[in-house]
Amino acid sequence: VYKDAPASVHLCDFPSESDARKDEELRHSMGLAREIVALGQRVRSSHNLKVRQPLKEAILVLAHDEKLDAHTDIIREELNVHSIRTTDEPQKYVEFEIVPNFRALGPKLGKRMPLCKKCLQTTDGSELYDQLESHGEFTITLEDGEPVTLSRQEVEVRLTEHEGYAASSAGGRVVVLDTQITDELVREGLAREVINRVQTARKSMDLPYEARIRVVYAAEGQLAEAIEEHKDWIAGETLATAFEAGAPAGERHETEVNETPFHFTIDT
């Protein structure tokens, strides 16, 4: 390194922007994937579904002509689900309620607002949702006999999930998560928690990223079963050449996984 060298490490200019390099289709599809992931994470947060607990399936309702074929693996990994599929029958998983956006409709309807609210309450929400997604608007007839056309911006879509599912919606899209957790999924979630504890310990020991380790651990019950079932995966994720049950000796890392004690030592 030269003593008087400039601080910058760039040896050539950054390339200039070129419209020819733009891929609008890729940009749109990746933006859609990010929005789907954000919706799915909102579902997990609002229903207290732990991020490291894998789920069986995410069911997506997309807006008209939207496709996610190129990014399903990314979404599956980010949402920690085993599979992803789309559906055009969201009524199997959720019920739709369409309510007026009072701020947007106030100037338009004035004193007729209560009539609009009542009509929406007595009309099939799923049918209105289908019209909204197909045409961007729907028309209802109020008790005074006058029709009113409402756009997406003038109403709010609310969801009521069927048992065993959790959902959230925005911008005409719905993400439904299957919340039924089998014993197999529980054990996989415990294994993910174990990986997190060991990686945290590696960081606290200031080990090099590529350092290989040997782990001896003590665990009981379902946690011990989960570790045994997923031992090879856990070892691979933590760069452990050995991951063995036993009596940890030396500097112990003492923690818990879902309120079950988990003690282990790390040797390099």
Side-chain angles (χ1 to χ4, degrees), residues 246-266:
E251 184 179 352
R252 291 161 55 102
H253 300 271
E254 300 187 357
T255 183
E256 292 184 350
V257 174
N258 290 9
E259 300 182 355
T260 299
F262 176 53
H263 303 161
F264 60 97
T265 57
I266 293 179

Side-chain angles (χ1 to χ4, degrees), residues 140-214:
I140 56 176
T141 301
L142 307 188
E143 281 188 350
D144 60 9
E146 292 295 324
V148 173
T149 299
L150 304 178
S151 68
R152 190 188 305 278
Q153 292 72 33
E154 294 173 325
V155 296
E156 177 185 345
V157 179
R158 295 179 181 174
L159 303 179
T160 302
E161 303 100 339
H162 293 178
E163 185 176 357
Y165 298 95
S168 185
S169 69
R173 306 177 187 103
V174 183
V175 174
V176 182
L177 299 183
D178 185 333
T179 61
Q180 302 171 76
I181 301 177
T182 63
D183 289 343
E184 182 181 3
L185 289 173
V186 169
R187 292 193 297 273
E188 184 182 340
L190 291 173
R192 286 180 178 271
E193 295 288 354
V194 167
I195 291 170
N196 170 262
R197 303 304 189 275
V198 176
Q199 298 288 50
T200 299
R202 284 181 61 111
K203 184 176 180 180
S204 70
M205 296 170 66
D206 199 25
L207 295 178
Y209 174 80
E210 72 281 1
R212 303 291 169 170
I213 61 174
R214 297 185 301 276

Side-chain angles (χ1 to χ4, degrees), residues 238-250:
T238 58
L239 297 184
T241 57
F243 205 96
E244 301 173 348

Side-chain angles (χ1 to χ4, degrees), residues 10 21 23 56 72 97 111 129 132 170 220 229 247 263:
H10 302 294
R21 297 192 181 101
D23 188 333
K56 177 184 177 182
T72 52
E97 180 185 6
K111 294 181 180 181
Y129 177 83
L132 197 63
E220 297 179 350
E229 180 178 341
H263 303 161

